[in-house]
Amino acid sequence: MRRKSTSGSRPTRPDLAALVAPLGRTLMAAELPVLRAHDLSMWGYTVLVRLEDEPVRTQAALAQAIGADKTRIIPILDDLQDRGLIRREPDPDDRRVRLVSVTAKGRRVRTSAQDAIQRQEERLLARVPAADRRAFLRVLQELSRVSADEFIDPPA
Amino acid sequence: MRRKSTSGSRPTRPDLAALVAPLGRTLMAAELPVLRAHDLSMWGYTVLVRLEDEPVRTQAALAQAIGADKTRIIPILDDLQDRGLIRREPDPDDRRVRLVSVTAKGRRVRTSAQDAIQRQEERLLARVPAADRRAFLRVLQELSRVSADEFIDPPA
DNA sequence: TATTGTTATACTCTATAACTATA
DNA sequence: TATAGTTATAGAGTATAACAATA
């Protein structure tokens, strides 16, 4: 099941990366005004979304879960905490670690922002037929579970 | 056709941006080893791919076409030119503009790199059923034509 | 005066290394 | 000594502003 040789010729489709990466940037750009309206940074919003799923025991684990550096999220957490959107409490069992959780207020803000974001995304998705759209979301969720080193060719 | 209210509850799906943007980063990370093997930077490769489609008359237009700043691509073009992968000639009609085109060597390099990249991407796509996959690529190409300001909600 | 390409500068984002407090 | 969190520093990538050549 090898596709016809493309040596010396034009490819039959654009690179997947060339389609996906710019679309990702577009979607993030579209989020920015909504986030600004909720006084949230992209990372702040990402933290709130992540904490909604399940509480996280260490900041390092939280950082890794959202693809950030542990040093990078600290000012983000400071800000979210100052504004009462998250709690950060020392674990009684191990006072080195901070238990991070979302507050009721944080949950409200996240819900409001996410609602607006997804409404906007629905408008974009409305451009494609319902069946295609379901398949698209299915594939997207499947592929985003895959990490880079799972399919990278071993270097020659 | 409004979906059920999500106010105060968990969303029914992750944000589109949260699926697409990380996948884009993964795909770009997967390209890096292949590009390095071809002695190409991401931007250098992007330039070669773009020039394959159709020659570009000004560097500014080239930059815009690939989503870069006009100042950013200059060292990239310098390098590609030094290595004989592109040509950069003053337009006789307007000596301010540089006609940028890919050389035969540049075409060979791009073909080889793109072939390897797309083979790798095919391995990733092999995880999903053929029908879903066709729909996925269809939707992807449709959506990547849309620019951010076409679907962003007017700020309140 | 306006525009293309270029260079120089500043700024943002991110990662690395060094520090503290607990264990 | 090892680890969680924090702070300070340095680096990469990017955008902004100023400049030279041509129109």
Side-chain angles (χ1 to χ4, degrees):
Chain A
M1 262 307 255
R2 233 180 146 284
R3 80 186 187 321
K4 275 179 284 186
S5 164
T6 59
S7 296
S9 66
R10 300 267 279 286
T12 59
R13 61 160 173 87
D15 297 344
L16 215 49
L19 292 171
V20 175
L23 179 60
R25 280 191 288 270
T26 298
L27 288 168
M28 284 183 39
E31 284 192 4
L32 285 181
V34 179
L35 293 178
R36 198 159 31 227
H38 288 80
D39 264 301
L40 287 174
S41 68
M42 186 68 72
W43 284 115
Y45 174 67
T46 307
V47 166
L48 290 183
V49 170
R50 182 54 233 266
L51 288 180
E52 197 72 33
D53 293 341
E54 40 180 339
V56 175
R57 221 185 72 88
T58 75
Q59 295 183 183
L62 171 59
Q64 203 202 345
I66 63 176
D69 194 275
K70 67 171 181 172
T71 68
R72 222 158 73 196
I73 63 169
I74 288 175
I76 313 289
L77 296 181
D78 289 345
D79 174 63
L80 292 174
Q81 186 178 28
D82 288 349
R83 292 161 54 201
L85 304 180
I86 64 167
R87 265 182 303 268
R88 197 158 39 153
E89 320 167 287
D91 182 348
D93 294 355
D94 181 344
R95 296 220 305 282
R96 289 175 304 182
V97 328
R98 306 270 175 275
L99 302 169
V100 187
S101 56
V102 64
T103 65
K105 183 179 173 192
R107 189 168 279 113
R108 278 197 303 274
V109 171
R110 184 235 87 208
T111 299
S112 170
Q114 194 162 30
D115 213 51
I117 285 169
Q118 296 209 2
R119 258 202 308 278
Q120 198 170 236
E121 290 178 348
E122 291 295 319
R123 283 230 315 285
L124 179 68
L125 287 173
R127 290 165 180 258
V128 302
D132 272 12
R133 174 186 152 155
R134 278 192 300 273
F136 178 68
L137 288 170
R138 198 159 52 229
V139 173
L140 213 46
Q141 304 204 44
E142 168 71 23
L143 295 188
S144 44
R145 270 182 226 113
V146 182
S147 71
D149 42 313
E150 278 183 67
F151 74 100
I152 287 184
D153 269 326
Chain B
M1 264 303 255
R2 236 180 142 283
R3 81 185 186 319
K4 275 179 284 188
S5 164
T6 59
S7 294
S9 68
R10 300 265 281 286
T12 60
R13 62 160 172 86
D15 298 342
L16 216 49
L19 292 171
V20 175
L23 179 59
R25 281 191 287 272
T26 298
L27 288 168
M28 283 182 41
E31 283 192 1
L32 285 181
V34 179
L35 293 178
R36 198 159 30 229
H38 288 81
D39 263 301
L40 287 174
S41 68
M42 187 67 73
W43 283 117
Y45 174 66
T46 307
V47 166
L48 290 183
V49 169
R50 180 56 233 266
L51 288 180
E52 197 71 33
D53 293 342
E54 40 180 341
V56 174
R57 220 186 75 89
T58 76
Q59 294 184 183
L62 171 60
Q64 202 202 345
I66 62 176
D69 195 275
K70 68 170 180 172
T71 67
R72 220 157 77 199
I73 62 169
I74 288 175
I76 312 289
L77 296 181
D78 289 345
D79 174 63
L80 291 174
Q81 185 178 27
D82 288 349
R83 291 160 56 202
L85 303 180
I86 64 166
R87 263 181 304 266
R88 200 158 34 154
E89 320 167 285
D91 182 348
D93 293 356
D94 182 343
R95 294 221 306 282
R96 289 175 304 182
V97 329
R98 305 271 174 275
L99 302 169
V100 187
S101 56
V102 63
T103 65
K105 184 179 174 192
R107 189 168 280 114
R108 279 196 302 273
V109 171
R110 185 234 87 209
T111 299
S112 170
Q114 193 162 30
D115 214 51
I117 285 170
Q118 296 210 0
R119 259 202 307 275
Q120 199 170 235
E121 290 178 347
E122 291 294 320
R123 285 228 314 284
L124 179 68
L125 287 174
R127 290 164 180 260
V128 302
D132 271 13
R133 173 187 152 153
R134 277 192 301 271
F136 178 68
L137 288 170
R138 199 159 50 227
V139 174
L140 213 46
Q141 303 204 43
E142 169 70 22
L143 295 187
S144 43
R145 269 181 229 114
V146 182
S147 71
D149 43 312
E150 279 182 65
F151 74 101
I152 287 184
D153 268 327

